[in-house]
Amino acid sequence: MTEHLFPLEEWAGDPLNPSLDRPTHAELVARLTRPEREQRVRALIAQAHHIVDATIAEHFAKHRIAGVFLMWSGGKDSNVLAHLMRHRATHAVHANTGIGIEATRVHVRESAATWGLPLIEREPAPEDSYETFVLQHGFPGPGQHNRVYQRLKERTFE
């Protein structure tokens, strides 16, 4: 929640025109009518596309872009982002970590096919598998997230 970041009376923005600099106070969003919330969502989607466009212009102005890859875990947040950005992508990419459920992988595969996006799906090498990690180090806690992420996802696409 954003309440702890700043008092409501100090927030001077327009919840229908979200700022990149300061999050909208949750209480103001909660007060919006359904049409206003829908307007806000449309503004946030446009803002997301603007951020992508600005990033491409800044970092790739001197380079030819050969492909735009949509990294897609199949989780809720990733599904929303994939849906919103699918028209910008030339390929979908999925790391089959071996610890997710098959229904998630099926969803990613079927959705990519429906959208006409070639899917690049990779699994970690046996020495980087979750099972190998657990046998060597025990079950990872929150402090091990980066190590497990690196083994199951980053190394998979190097």
Side-chain angles (χ1 to χ4, degrees), residues 9-30:
E9 56 276 359
E10 290 181 19
W11 194 82
D14 177 1
L16 299 180
N17 187 19
S19 167
L20 288 172
D21 301 321
R22 202 165 187 194
T24 305
H25 207 287
E27 188 175 321
L28 293 176
V29 175

Side-chain angles (χ1 to χ4, degrees), residues 4-71:
H4 69 279
L5 298 177
F6 53 89
L8 177 59
E9 56 276 359
E10 290 181 19
W11 194 82
D14 177 1
L16 299 180
N17 187 19
S19 167
L20 288 172
D21 301 321
R22 202 165 187 194
T24 305
H25 207 287
E27 188 175 321
L28 293 176
V29 175
R31 293 179 190 166
L32 297 176
T33 65
R34 182 181 177 117
E36 289 172 332
R37 288 192 311 270
E38 290 171 355
Q39 179 182 345
R40 177 178 164 77
V41 168
R42 285 190 297 275
L44 288 167
I45 292 169
Q47 189 178 75
H49 284 286
H50 172 77
I51 291 168
V52 171
D53 290 337
T55 301
I56 289 171
E58 179 179 346
H59 296 286
F60 298 101
K62 297 178 183 177
H63 304 280
R64 182 181 152 270
I65 297 176
V68 177
F69 295 81
L70 178 69
M71 302 292 289

Side-chain angles (χ1 to χ4, degrees), residues 79-91:
N79 283 333
V80 170
L81 189 60
H83 181 78
L84 294 175
M85 298 293 167
R86 71 184 190 265
H87 299 296
R88 302 179 75 103
T90 59
H91 297 76

Side-chain angles (χ1 to χ4, degrees), residues 99-113:
I99 59 175
I101 60 172
E102 183 61 20
T104 298
R105 292 185 284 276
V106 168
H107 169 71
V108 168
R109 292 174 191 140
E110 290 177 352
S111 296

Side-chain angles (χ1 to χ4, degrees), residues 53-156:
D53 290 337
T55 301
I56 289 171
E58 179 179 346
H59 296 286
F60 298 101
K62 297 178 183 177
H63 304 280
R64 182 181 152 270
I65 297 176
V68 177
F69 295 81
L70 178 69
M71 302 292 289
W72 190 3
S73 73
K76 293 180 286 188
D77 295 335
S78 184
N79 283 333
V80 170
L81 189 60
H83 181 78
L84 294 175
M85 298 293 167
R86 71 184 190 265
H87 299 296
R88 302 179 75 103
T90 59
H91 297 76
V93 178
H94 178 68
N96 181 346
T97 62
I99 59 175
I101 60 172
E102 183 61 20
T104 298
R105 292 185 284 276
V106 168
H107 169 71
V108 168
R109 292 174 191 140
E110 290 177 352
S111 296
T114 298
W115 295 342
L117 286 176
L119 177 64
I120 300 168
E121 183 176 346
R122 299 282 188 272
E123 297 177 10
E127 65 272 15
D128 288 330
S129 74
Y130 185 73
E131 180 179 0
T132 301
F133 184 91
V134 170
L135 291 173
Q136 291 175 352
H137 306 286
F139 286 102
Q144 294 294 315
H145 175 80
N146 287 342
R147 280 182 73 192
V148 174
Y149 177 88
Q150 180 187 45
R151 286 172 180 241
L152 299 181
K153 294 183 178 182
E154 281 184 14
R155 291 181 188 177
T156 300

